[in-house]
Amino acid sequence: MNQKKYYRKFLVIISTCLFCLLFGISARAQNQMPIQGTVTNTNGEPVAGVTIQVKNGKLSAVTNSEGKFTIEAQKGETLVFTSIGYVSREISLNGQRQIDIILQNSITRMNEVVVTALGIEKTNKSFTLYCSTDFWL
């Protein structure tokens, strides 16, 4: 009889834990909403390769060739838009599901570019050239 009591208590505890775990996961998933949008430049052209990240989060997305993206986020979170050659932007989510962003061109220019080649050693080579003016006729 005691075994049945302990077994029943064990099942109640396990089922309660599983219920709480599943309820917590589904509650978190319900807060997530898909955010879609388009990223363009100041000329209205789509910008491909823009990284969209949830600030202080793990989720990220990248725009396609048409500048379109989709990312999962919660209301109140901030999306960070970054791309080389453009000024980064941060947008706070207030429940909107469609976001269209215009990125401004970055004014700073690169002064110097360093190209490195891994595994290639620099060697100095010289060529010897011999010229003769004596001809046998």
Side-chain angles (χ1 to χ4, degrees), residues 22-35:
L22 292 175
F23 180 73
I25 290 173
S26 66
R28 170 79 175 148
Q30 289 175 353
N31 290 336
Q32 294 280 349
M33 58 183 176
I35 310 296

Side-chain angles (χ1 to χ4, degrees), residues 44-101:
E45 300 165 341
V47 182
V50 176
T51 302
I52 302 102
Q53 287 185 304
V54 176
K55 191 172 187 178
N56 300 325
K58 295 180 181 178
L59 295 176
S60 65
V62 178
T63 58
N64 63 14
S65 61
E66 298 172 347
K68 297 181 186 274
F69 69 92
T70 302
I71 189 168
E72 297 277 332
Q74 293 182 8
K75 182 178 179 182
E77 289 184 319
T78 301
L79 296 181
V80 181
F81 295 80
T82 56
S83 183
I84 295 174
Y86 295 94
V87 178
S88 297
R89 284 193 60 189
E90 294 186 8
I91 303 293
S92 294
L93 298 175
N94 298 320
Q96 65 268 42
R97 293 181 183 260
Q98 177 71 31
I99 299 176
D100 295 324
I101 300 293

